């Protein structure tokens, strides 16, 4: 059974701090990795995708991928209360095939 | 650009009844996905279409769930008969073929009593 594992949290950080979210995956054939944000009662929205080892930065967000360790992470710098949500990690084979989501990590950013 | 549309937004049924959900993907998106998200869990892929062909339905409980995508645009997901454990949000997503970014609709929240 292919899996994506995340710590369910909640992860609580003060406003302005760095939030670090982690994820591991079991399928070594996975080629594409994603972080989605899901507010309560809403549908997931993509915030980052990463395909190769290393770091990828987009604004306050940095995704990190280590395929040897089967590990993906998301750093949120200067966390804001509006970042409070559940963050879903997902992995797929090429082209969005066989997408598997983790259960998500709940993040609370305290003002 | 209009997003993924789903209806109904909410549905309450009794167990053993049937229910159907509708999805209209973003224009030009040939790949369509149906997910089931149970409270506290991540979305679980039920079925993936490319145009009107099924790419993956390995996690679709075929004894009670069915899905179709006629003409490669709109799609319907049906549950017949429903069980209590089918209570969940059913999410539809679409993407451009070969692209990884999936765009999700607002979902249909199903409650089975």
């Amino acid at each position: 059974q292919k899996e994506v594992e995340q710590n369910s949290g909640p992860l609580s950080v003060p406003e302005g701090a760095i939030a670090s979210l982690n994820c591991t995956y079991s399928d070594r054939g996975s080629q594409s990795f994603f972080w989605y944000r899901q507010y309560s009662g809403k549908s997931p929205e993509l915030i980052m995708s990463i395909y190769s080892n290393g770091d990828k930065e987009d604004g306050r967000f940095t995704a990190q991928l280590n395929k040897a360790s089967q590990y993906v992470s998301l750093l949120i710098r200067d966390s804001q209360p509006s970042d409070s949500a559940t963050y879903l990690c997902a992995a797929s084979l090429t082209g969005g095939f066989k997408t598997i989501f983790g259960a998500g990590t709940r993040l609370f950013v305290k003002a | 650009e209009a997003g993924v549309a789903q209806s109904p937004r909410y549905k309450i049924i009794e167990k053993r009844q049937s229910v159907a959900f509708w999805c209209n993907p973003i224009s030009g998106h040939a790949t369509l996905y149906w997910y089931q998200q149970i409270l506290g869990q991540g979305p679980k892929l039920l079925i993936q279409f490319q145009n009107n062909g099924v790419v993956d339905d390995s996690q679709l409980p075929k004894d009670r769930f069915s899905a179709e995508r006629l003409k490669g645009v709109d799609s319907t997901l049906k549950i017949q008969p429903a069980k209590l454990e089918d209570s969940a949000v059913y999410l539809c997503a679409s993407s451009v073929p070969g692209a990884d970014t999936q765009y999700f609709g607002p979902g249909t929240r199903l409650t089975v009593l």
Side-chain angles (χ1 to χ4, degrees):
Chain A
Q1 180 78 358
K2 305 293 192 289
E3 291 183 334
V4 173
E5 302 272 357
Q6 295 183 254
N7 186 322
S8 63
L11 173 65
S12 184
V13 300
E15 184 175 358
I18 296 175
S20 177
L21 306 165
N22 305 311
C23 161
T24 59
Y25 60 95
S26 64
D27 186 356
R28 284 196 172 274
S30 297
Q31 298 293 321
S32 307
F33 305 89
F34 311 91
W35 285 99
Y36 285 83
R37 178 174 61 201
Q38 186 171 31
Y39 292 113
S40 180
K42 302 295 185 182
S43 57
E45 57 176 328
L46 181 70
I47 51 174
M48 289 286 287
S49 57
I50 187 166
Y51 307 98
S52 54
N53 283 328
D55 295 0
K56 179 182 178 182
E57 187 174 318
D58 184 0
R60 297 186 295 112
F61 300 97
T62 299
Q64 300 173 317
L65 173 62
N66 183 325
K67 288 186 178 181
S69 301
Q70 296 177 248
Y71 176 88
V72 192
S73 67
L74 179 71
L75 299 177
I76 306 175
R77 290 181 299 281
D78 189 24
S79 295
Q80 302 297 310
S82 58
D83 295 326
S84 298
T86 295
Y87 288 79
L88 300 165
C89 175
S92 72
L93 305 181
T94 302
F97 187 59
K98 296 282 189 185
T99 302
I100 300 175
F101 280 82
T105 297
R106 285 183 299 152
L107 173 67
F108 291 107
V109 181
K110 298 173 293 185
Chain B
E1 179 181 80
V4 177
Q6 289 188 247
S7 68
R9 293 294 311 278
Y10 305 92
K11 190 75 176 178
I12 300 174
I13 61 172
E14 305 255 331
K15 61 183 178 183
R16 291 187 289 273
Q17 287 186 323
S18 63
V19 64
F21 312 125
W22 174 83
C23 173
N24 180 247
I26 293 171
S27 177
H29 283 197
T31 305
L32 186 148
Y33 311 79
W34 281 104
Y35 289 90
Q36 178 193 58
Q37 187 173 24
I38 293 172
L39 188 64
Q41 299 182 19
K44 172 188 168 185
L45 181 65
L46 294 176
I47 189 166
Q48 179 179 347
F49 292 95
Q50 182 148 328
N51 296 306
N52 58 349
V54 175
V55 173
D56 179 22
D57 64 356
S58 58
Q59 297 196 93
L60 187 73
K62 299 180 185 64
D63 58 334
R64 297 185 301 106
F65 286 64
S66 64
E68 61 181 9
R69 191 182 184 197
L70 299 176
K71 301 181 182 178
V73 182
D74 294 5
S75 178
T76 56
L77 176 70
K78 297 179 181 177
I79 307 175
Q80 182 180 352
K83 294 185 175 181
L84 296 177
E85 59 261 35
D86 297 332
S87 293
V89 175
Y90 290 84
L91 294 163
C92 180
S94 70
S95 68
V96 175
D100 295 297
T101 303
Q102 297 181 32
Y103 298 88
F104 283 84
T108 296
R109 183 176 298 276
L110 174 67
T111 302
V112 182
L113 303 176

